[in-house]
Amino acid sequence: MKNINIIAELACIHEGDKKYIIDLAKECKKNGANSIKFQCFDPEEVVDKNHPDYKYLKSISFNRAEWKSIIDKVKKIGLNIYIDISGEFSISIVEENKKKISGIKLNSSETNNLEIIEKVKKFDCKILLACSGLTIVEIITISELLNKDNITLMYGYQSFPKNFELKGGPPLKPFMPEDLEFWRLDNLRNTFPDFEIGLSDHFQGSDQLAIDLPVYATFMGVTTFEKH
């Protein structure tokens, strides 16, 4: 069995607190993660300045110098570092810290952005390709454009639509194991035998499925787990 890569996805749970993000990284390492992933973004690339979420996004984002400091400290903790690609700002973070970046994740929202794909091609690190919202033809096209052999196809499930009237936006219906459609993992593995397969999940830590389903997935050839 290949080595298992467990990536702790912090998203924006740090709420812009640099000390807290380091504390979280230490806890992730202590609890078995060997990698961590950051969402590095410039609010102006995400929303217009007049958007109601702009001030909030600005308050929880870090500049290039702050991200460099965070990356340096997390690297010393002993975690591999992955960066979400979401625009030119995240590209610049990878370029400026490339010796300390183990991988990047190319989300479905960026797979039609040829300029971003061309820049990603220049990176020597591992590429996680989010493929849950892509067709087989689209995955083939993107992988050919990237022309890389170190791609991991990341399949996952999020319980959308959400109930946005309640804080935290819980799912409108309870999650069922069959919703994950594990047969898709077999399809990906059989269609793309040269690529590794990963699973991205959003289960709460208190849910037994957060443990059980990844265990099942390892027997289906999954080697990378992105835990939110």
Side-chain angles (χ1 to χ4, degrees):
M1 181 180 290
K2 294 183 179 179
N3 292 331
I4 301 298
N5 185 17
I6 301 176
I7 304 173
E9 161 63 275
L10 294 195
C12 296
I13 196 173
H14 52 77
E15 292 289 312
D17 186 330
K18 293 187 288 294
K19 180 182 182 303
Y20 186 45
I21 203 172
I22 302 304
D23 291 340
L24 284 170
K26 291 177 180 177
E27 288 300 314
C28 291
K29 174 71 174 178
K30 187 188 301 183
N31 285 279
N34 47 15
S35 303
I36 197 167
K37 185 159 72 67
F38 299 129
Q39 295 183 6
C40 308
F41 61 89
D42 180 346
E44 295 183 22
E45 286 186 326
V46 180
V47 295
D48 183 84
K49 287 185 176 181
N50 295 318
H51 192 282
D53 289 339
Y54 177 78
K55 288 184 178 179
Y56 169 70
L57 291 173
K58 190 74 173 176
S59 71
I60 64 170
S61 62
F62 303 112
N63 59 36
R64 288 186 176 86
E66 289 172 320
W67 273 120
K68 183 181 184 306
S69 175
I70 290 168
I71 289 170
D72 288 344
K73 291 177 181 177
V74 170
K75 192 66 177 176
K76 290 179 181 177
I77 293 171
L79 288 168
N80 298 317
I81 298 172
Y82 285 73
I83 302 292
D84 255 357
I85 297 301
S86 57
E88 295 293 339
F89 181 80
S90 56
I91 290 286
S92 70
I93 296 297
V94 177
E95 290 175 339
E96 293 169 10
N97 301 275
K98 57 186 177 182
K99 291 184 178 180
K100 296 177 181 177
I101 303 298
S102 297
I104 61 97
K105 184 176 182 182
L106 186 62
N107 290 301
S108 302
S109 59
E110 295 290 353
T111 52
N112 288 322
N113 190 332
L114 295 181
E115 291 185 12
I116 291 293
I117 289 177
E118 283 300 313
K119 292 179 180 180
V120 167
K121 282 175 63 174
K122 299 177 182 179
F123 298 150
D124 292 328
C125 58
K126 182 181 287 291
I127 297 175
L128 308 179
L129 175 59
C131 61
S132 300
L134 303 178
T135 65
I136 293 296
V137 172
E138 287 173 324
I139 296 173
I140 293 172
T141 301
I142 296 162
S143 61
E144 288 180 346
L145 286 172
L146 290 171
N147 192 26
K148 300 280 188 179
D149 57 9
N150 59 345
I151 295 175
T152 298
L153 301 179
M154 298 297 296
Y155 173 73
Y157 177 90
Q158 288 178 303
S159 300
F160 290 129
K162 299 280 189 175
N163 184 349
F164 289 104
E165 294 179 359
L166 299 177
K167 186 176 181 180
L172 289 177
K173 67 181 183 66
F175 175 81
M176 302 299 290
E178 56 265 28
D179 290 331
L180 194 55
E181 297 182 329
F182 260 26
W183 57 268
R184 294 184 184 275
L185 293 174
D186 273 332
N187 277 7
L188 289 173
R189 186 186 60 200
N190 294 330
T191 307
F192 303 96
D194 295 331
F195 294 157
E196 292 191 34
I197 306 299
L199 177 66
S200 175
D201 78 55
H202 294 74
F203 306 120
Q204 292 186 6
S206 58
D207 191 333
Q208 186 62 36
L209 291 174
I211 297 174
D212 292 348
L213 292 183
V215 170
Y216 302 152
T218 60
F219 291 98
M220 301 180 73
V222 171
T223 56
T224 296
F225 293 91
E226 182 184 358
K227 302 292 290 183
H228 289 247

